[in-house]
Amino acid sequence: MPGSAHRFGPRGVRRGAALTLVFGCALATAAATGSLPRGSDADAGTVTQTRAVASTAAPVDRAAPVDREEIEGAAAEAEADGKSVKDAAEEVVSRSGDRWGAVYDEREYEEFEQALDGSYTGVGLSARRTDHGDVAVSRVQAGGPADRAGIRVGDLLRTLDGRAVGRRPVAEVVALLRGDGTEEAEGSRVELGLVRKGRSWTETLERTRLTTDAVTVRRLGAAPSPTVMIKVAAFTKGAGADVRDAVRDAPDGAGILLDLRANSGGLVAEAVVAASAFLDGGLVATYDVRGEEQALYADPGGDTDRPVVVLVDGGTMSAAELLTGALQDRGRAVTVGSPTFGKGSVQMPSELPGGSVAELTVGHYRTPAGRNVDGKGITPDLVVRERAQQRAETVLSGLGGGS
C-alpha cells in the first residue's frame, strides 16, 4: 500500500507492490510545476502534471506537515458525499503550505510507474524557454514521432492544436504534448505549429509509448588517458547499475566525468547504487521521517582510485543532489558547475479512496557531513557558470584523469 513505505518525491511504482523510497520531484513535479530554473529543459518523458508553484528558489518548507488522518478523512467524506476525492485532498494539501505535497489520480499515478520504468507516452521531444522568451525544441528522441517528422533541436514551437504557446510554462506545453488529461493519450494526435529560420509549418504527430535512456556514456579524448563522460538524466530503474557498469568498463587510466546537470531525481536506491560505484562502503546520506533518523550506505567494492569530477547546475535535484553531496563530503570527487536546486524533503505516499494517492512531506535528508540540502542546494567546489564542461575536463586532467 502507498502508505507503507517512505519516498522522497512524488513518484509511484507498480500498484500492489511495496512502494520504493524515492528522492526526487522532477521526474514529474519540478518540471511540471514550472520550478525548473530558467533555461532548464522540460522533458516530454518526465513531465506528468501541472501543479502550480510560485517560487523557483526552493525554500525550506515551513508549514506544519499535513496530518495523514486529516487528508484521508477529507477524502472519505468527499467520497461519501459523491464529490471529487482528489479535489478534497488537494484542498487540504494547499492549505498546509506543503510545497512538495501533491495529489494524483489513478491514471497519473500509473504514468509515474511508467516514468520510473523509463517509458512515457508522447511525441519524443523536450522543450526549453530561450533567452528571448520562445519555447524551443531542446532534444529530439531518436526514432520517435518528432524525429520521423524531421523536427530538429532549435525549432521554435508556436502553437499546439491551433492554440498559441505564448507564455505558457514550458512544463505545461510538454504536458500538452504528452496528452495529459486525455482519456487515451497513446494513439491520439497533436498538431504542432513550428518555425525554423523564418519558415512556418505544421506537423501532426501521433503520441506513442516511448522508452528513454537515463544513462549515456561516451569517451572524450584518446588513449592513454581518455575521459569517460557518464551523463545521468534521471535515476529511473536500472540507472544505478548502468553507472556502475560504465565505471567498471572504463579503460585503465581513464577519469570519470559524471554529468548530473538537469538531473531531476528519481529512485533513491538507484542513486545509492551509483554512489557505490565510486565508494568502498560507508555513509551516503541520512534522512528523517517524522523525527526518526534513517541511514543509507554504499555497497563495498567500488572504484576508489579513478579521479572523478561531477558536473552540476541549477537543474540538479533531489537524488542527484544526494549523490553529489555524498561524493563531495566523502572527498571522492571534485564538483564543478553552478549551485544545485535544493530539493531535500521527504515525501510519504498515502492511498486515498478511489485510487488517488497523496504525497505528503514528512522530513528531510542530509549529506554524510550533516548538511541539509533543502532550500540551500549544494555549492560546487569550483563555481563555473559558463563553459562548465570544458572547465570540468581541465580539472579532471589536472587530477590525472584526462588527455
Side-chain angles (χ1 to χ4, degrees):
M1 297 290 290
S4 65
H6 308 136
R7 308 192 304 132
F8 292 5
R11 282 281 147 309
V13 294
R14 201 167 305 283
R15 283 191 177 278
L19 287 177
T20 305
L21 186 67
V22 178
F23 285 93
C25 53
L27 280 182
T29 300
T33 58
S35 58
L36 287 176
R38 182 178 181 83
S40 295
D41 290 352
D43 192 329
T46 58
V47 177
T48 57
Q49 49 89 41
T50 54
R51 282 182 61 86
V53 172
S55 173
T56 61
V60 177
D61 294 324
R62 292 183 172 84
V66 181
D67 184 83
R68 178 178 169 185
E69 292 184 359
E70 179 185 359
I71 197 168
E72 290 177 349
E77 183 177 342
E79 184 181 43
D81 292 342
K83 299 179 180 178
S84 168
V85 169
K86 183 182 177 183
D87 288 349
E90 284 183 334
E91 183 178 351
V92 175
V93 173
S94 178
R95 287 201 310 267
S96 75
D98 183 346
R99 183 168 190 259
W100 299 109
V103 183
Y104 310 103
D105 63 28
E106 189 169 15
R107 187 192 63 79
E108 290 170 334
Y109 211 63
E110 289 172 354
E111 285 288 333
F112 293 165
E113 297 175 4
Q114 293 163 348
L116 285 177
D117 285 331
S119 69
Y120 69 100
T121 297
V123 297
L125 63 78
S126 304
R128 67 181 180 88
R129 181 76 62 183
T130 71
D131 291 338
H132 299 293
D134 297 314
V135 174
V137 175
S138 60
R139 182 168 51 196
V140 179
Q141 183 168 334
D147 183 38
R148 294 195 300 270
I151 296 172
R152 303 174 188 169
V153 171
D155 289 345
L156 301 181
L157 186 58
R158 297 299 196 197
T159 63
L160 286 175
D161 288 331
R163 294 177 292 174
V165 169
R167 301 300 302 178
R168 289 175 185 266
V170 173
E172 182 180 335
V173 173
V174 175
L176 291 170
L177 285 171
R178 284 174 45 87
D180 288 1
T182 304
E183 186 68 23
E184 293 293 338
E186 187 172 358
S188 62
R189 293 176 177 270
V190 59
E191 183 187 81
L192 281 61
L194 300 147
V195 175
R196 179 189 301 162
K197 295 182 178 179
R199 180 178 69 89
S200 302
W201 83 103
T202 61
E203 292 284 355
T204 299
L205 306 180
E206 182 175 312
R207 300 180 179 100
T208 188
R209 176 62 54 184
L210 299 166
T211 58
T212 60
D213 292 325
V215 179
T216 54
V217 183
R218 61 191 179 100
R219 295 187 184 183
L220 308 175
S225 55
T227 293
V228 174
M229 184 172 180
I230 304 173
K231 169 69 176 176
V232 188
F235 287 103
T236 53
K237 292 178 182 177
D242 288 344
V243 171
R244 181 192 59 207
D245 292 345
V247 173
R248 289 178 177 174
D249 294 342
D252 293 340
I256 302 295
L257 183 58
L258 182 63
D259 188 355
L260 300 180
R261 291 174 296 179
N263 183 307
S264 50
L267 292 162
V268 66
E270 300 298 337
V272 173
V273 172
S276 300
F278 304 101
L279 301 170
D280 187 15
L283 186 64
V284 173
T286 59
Y287 65 97
D288 61 87
V289 176
R290 303 194 190 283
E292 181 179 346
E293 185 172 283
Q294 308 288 334
L296 300 164
Y297 295 95
D299 292 330
D303 188 328
T304 59
D305 296 324
R306 295 181 189 277
V308 180
V309 171
V310 180
L311 261 174
V312 296
D313 66 5
T316 304
M317 304 177 67
S318 304
E321 291 177 288
L322 178 146
L323 173 57
T324 301
L327 297 182
Q328 188 182 54
D329 281 4
R330 298 281 302 272
R332 184 60 189 92
V334 176
T335 52
V336 177
S338 52
T340 63
F341 185 86
K343 198 285 181 181
S345 58
V346 185
Q347 278 71 47
M348 180 187 295
S350 295
E351 188 167 4
L352 304 176
S356 294
V357 174
E359 292 280 358
L360 311 176
T361 297
V362 295
H364 298 83
Y365 78 83
R366 293 167 295 279
T367 69
R371 291 182 291 165
N372 186 343
V373 174
D374 205 50
K376 302 175 182 178
I378 294 173
T379 300
D381 300 309
L382 176 62
V383 176
V384 179
R385 299 188 184 278
E386 295 182 359
R387 306 177 71 181
Q389 182 175 326
Q390 182 178 346
R391 294 290 297 277
E393 291 179 33
T394 300
V395 171
L396 189 58
S397 178
L399 296 173
S403 56

